Structure formats: structure tokens, C-alpha cells
Amino acid sequence: MIFTKMNQTLVATALLVTSMMLGAPTAEGLLQEKQGNLRRQLDDQPQSRVDLLTAGKFAILSKTGVSTVGTTSVTGVMGTSPIAATALTGFGLIADSSNTFSTSSLVSGSIYAADYAPPTPNMLTVAVLDMQTAYVDAAGRKDPDHTELGSAGSIEGLTLEPGLYKWSTDVGFTSSLTFNGSATDIWILQIDGDVKVGSGAKVTLNGAKAENIFWQIAGSTEIGTYSHVEGIFMCNTKIMFKTGSSMNGAALAQTAVTMEATTIVKASVCDATVGCIEG
């Protein structure tokens, strides 16, 4: 009996050693495999939208003013703060009797400035803070899917799939740029320098939606003559629209926005929890 039990123990031990040598899964191996699968699943998670909150109410929002020359057309709401309405030039502003907003034949929605009557100043203060928070959120996203794409910051002719992109340089294109994906996919472009869109260049959306494309730009942005761009441009300094340029999206600048016979159509970027300003 004792001999039989010893044989059984020896056989079991031999089987265990053999299984380990042949790579049969152990408890530790199974744990490592599960951890690896979890890491891969986390890596494959799509980007979430940048939360604009009340800044998403605006087609144009700036801190140091908005100016235009020529026949500009803005579809949406416009605001500037903490600077006064005198920094809104070229629009022929008509003050509402409530003095909480003004209107212009060039802008479909209301126009707000920090020196208008309450509750406008507070509303703008919150919107500007939300704009700054959204910029920090986009800039702070980790583990980009693509870094330094293109040649020395040139993304001319490229097609961008959904994901997080990062450049440590200026970025620009001279003719075309395409965003390819679905209506729910997200793109975040982290750009440490300036953005320059060449004259006549076009952004094309292949299934993508402008409200899901977030340009986080540490420098300035120049939209060339008769060019067209798509997306939410969150710029740490100024956004300059040259003659005949157009945008489907929103221009959120932490300094000024300048336009020359520009067309801006606000994309639907409103946060459901805060709603949108109508009119």
C-alpha cells in the first residue's frame, strides 16, 4: 500500500514537471495572460470626447476680441471675455434693449461681451473657464496612437483614422487632409506649435463629424485664403481666418479671432447637461 502511494506521488510529480516543461498553463501564467489581455483591451479603448461644457455653446469664443473685414457670415453665437464689446470690430453691433447682448447682420446668433448687463458677464466667465479646461484636457491626454506623423509636421494629403495624435512641431497642409471614420469616432490632435492651412486647402470628412475632431494648438492658427477646415479649434493664442476661408466647427481662442470675409458654421458641440444658447 505504501509502495503504491509513493508511486502515485512520483507519477503526479513527474506529470507536473512535464506540463511545466511543455508550457501547460500554471496559475501564475494564467494571471499574467489575463493581465496582458486587460492591458490590450485598455489600449484599444477609443478616445472620449473633450468636454466643452458651456464653451460648446459658441461658434466663436475669445478672450481678447473678434474682428472682421469684408462680408463675413457666422452661423451661431459669438462671445468675448474678459474684454469689453469695443474689441468686437467690423460687425456693426446693435445693442438689445436689455443690454445683455447685441446683434449683427453678419452673425445669426446673439453676440456677448464682458461689459454687457448681468447675467452676461458671469455666463461668459464660466464659458471661458470651460474653454480653458477643455484645452487642458485635450493637451493632457496620454499615450498617443500616432506621434510626429508626416514629414516635419506636414500632414499634406494624409488620411487620419480615429485616435490621439501628437506633434512637437508646427503642423500644416497645403492642399488636402481627410478624416476617415464613423459619426461616433473621436480625433484629438495635440500640436505643440502653430497650425497653418494653405490657400485653397480643404479638410474632407469621410464619415467623421466636425464636432468629434478636436484640434489642441499651443501656438497660433492660420486658415489660408479660400481654404476650408472642419473641427473644434482650441487655440492657446490667436486664430486668423484669411480672405474667403471657411470653417464647419467652432473657433475657441485664448487671445483673439480675426476674419476676412470668412464663413463659420457652428457644429453641434453642445454639452447635453448645459444646453445651447438659442438666438
Side-chain angles (χ1 to χ4, degrees), residues 41-157:
Q41 289 173 7
L42 291 174
D43 289 342
D44 291 340
Q45 288 297 311
Q47 289 292 322
S48 59
R49 296 185 83 256
V50 176
D51 196 353
L52 298 176
L53 292 178
T54 63
K57 298 176 177 181
F58 293 86
I60 301 174
L61 180 62
S62 79
K63 293 175 70 174
T64 64
V66 184
S67 64
T68 186
V69 294
T71 307
T72 281
S73 174
V74 177
T75 302
V77 174
M78 191 169 76
T80 192
S81 178
I83 204 164
T86 52
L88 300 169
T89 62
F91 294 96
L93 297 179
I94 302 171
D96 182 73
S97 59
S98 67
N99 200 36
T100 57
F101 66 92
S102 58
T103 61
S104 167
S105 61
L106 305 181
V107 182
S108 71
S110 299
I111 302 169
Y112 299 90
D115 59 337
Y116 287 172
T120 296
N122 182 67
M123 179 270 288
L124 286 171
T125 296
V126 173
V128 168
L129 288 174
D130 287 343
M131 172 176 69
Q132 293 172 170
T133 300
Y135 178 92
V136 171
D137 174 16
R141 298 293 178 100
K142 304 294 185 183
D143 302 321
D145 302 297
H146 307 276
T147 57
E148 315 301 344
L149 192 66
S151 176
S154 172
I155 53 176
E156 165 59 29

